[in-house]
Amino acid sequence: MNYIIEIDSGLWFCGWSTLDGSLKTTDDIALAYRMRRTLAERTLPKVLSQFGKGQIMRSAA
């Protein structure tokens, strides 16, 4: 099962920048980073520390 992290309504976690390791976001759900539940649970605290909110959601695709 794949999961994605929704940061805010219409804003999704997209991965990490290769240049400086910063968190990347996208407004296109098709580009959201899909991961297993355990990885999503380890990534969520990093998203929360930067944006202050976020939630793990099951991916439809």
Side-chain angles (χ1 to χ4, degrees):
M1 183 71 51
N2 289 322
Y3 293 87
I4 53 180
I5 297 178
E6 180 182 25
I7 297 168
D8 199 5
S9 146
L11 188 62
W12 307 91
F13 172 71
C14 186
W16 306 101
S17 171
T18 57
L19 297 176
D20 60 2
S22 63
L23 188 135
K24 295 188 329 184
T25 61
T26 182
D27 57 357
D28 184 359
I29 193 169
L31 298 176
Y33 184 73
R34 282 152 178 77
M35 58 197 109
R36 300 278 183 190
R37 179 76 185 195
T38 54
L39 182 56
E41 289 173 349
R42 289 192 310 240
T43 304
L44 186 60
K46 298 171 188 173
V47 171
L48 292 174
S49 70
Q50 185 162 354
F51 289 98
K53 57 183 166 180
Q55 64 182 347
I56 298 171
M57 300 182 65
R58 193 176 306 185
S59 174

